[in-house]
Amino acid sequence: MGRKAKPDSKALVHIHAQATALSQAPPDKSTKDDPKRASKKSEPPPGNDQHAEPDAATGHLHAPKQRSSLLPTGLRFPWWAVLLLALYLLLQLGMTLEHPCGVLGAWAPLTRSDVGKSYRSISACTHPDKLRSRSQHAVRRGELLFQRATKARDDLYDALRVSALLAET
């Protein structure tokens, strides 16, 4: 359940003044005799009602509801814990993207032919000799991508060679 909004202090003073004035004023005969006038609702108290919401049943304006927290009160974390968690998750994401399988777009179980196919598809687009006619920025970006793909291919070939040696023994 959400908390109830506290009414504005100026509105409370105004409501108290109206209640006091009504209790001290003599009864009005016109509202007793005329049922239409007696059923009319009084205006809501003036105040900061720019964000007030009208009640569907009565038509009176009520104070806006306070926004509830997404987490229960017991599950609030200090800002530094959230920062450390976010940093850890970003580092994990970075390591996943820099993993040789992630660079080549090939996933386990890998064979030597899978690594070769992935490397050839990337090098066909990023080889520096194929980018000579482009802008200097595009050539530099292609060289960096080609270097990453070459390093990833070499790392995966080494890992496959080591796993084959371990499987033989």
Side-chain angles (χ1 to χ4, degrees), residues 44 54-61:
D55 186 14
T58 62
H60 288 292
L61 294 178

Side-chain angles (χ1 to χ4, degrees), residues 33-87:
D33 299 332
D34 190 349
K36 288 182 184 177
R37 292 183 86 191
S39 67
K40 282 190 178 179
K41 306 288 185 223
S42 64
E43 289 294 319
N48 188 8
D49 59 353
Q50 56 188 344
H51 299 292
E53 300 171 4
D55 186 14
T58 62
H60 288 292
L61 294 178
H62 294 284
K65 296 178 183 175
Q66 287 185 348
R67 195 173 79 188
S68 63
S69 174
L70 294 176
L71 294 174
T73 307
L75 290 178
R76 294 189 185 189
F77 298 110
W79 65 269
W80 54 268
V82 174
L83 179 70
L84 288 176
L85 179 66
L87 183 64

Side-chain angles (χ1 to χ4, degrees), residues 6-7 11 24 34 38 45 53-54 57-58 63 73 89 93 95 113 127 129 136:
K6 293 183 179 179
Q24 294 175 356
D34 190 349
E53 300 171 4
T58 62
T73 307
L89 292 175
L93 177 68
M95 286 191 291
S113 64
H127 196 279
D129 292 340
Q136 187 176 4

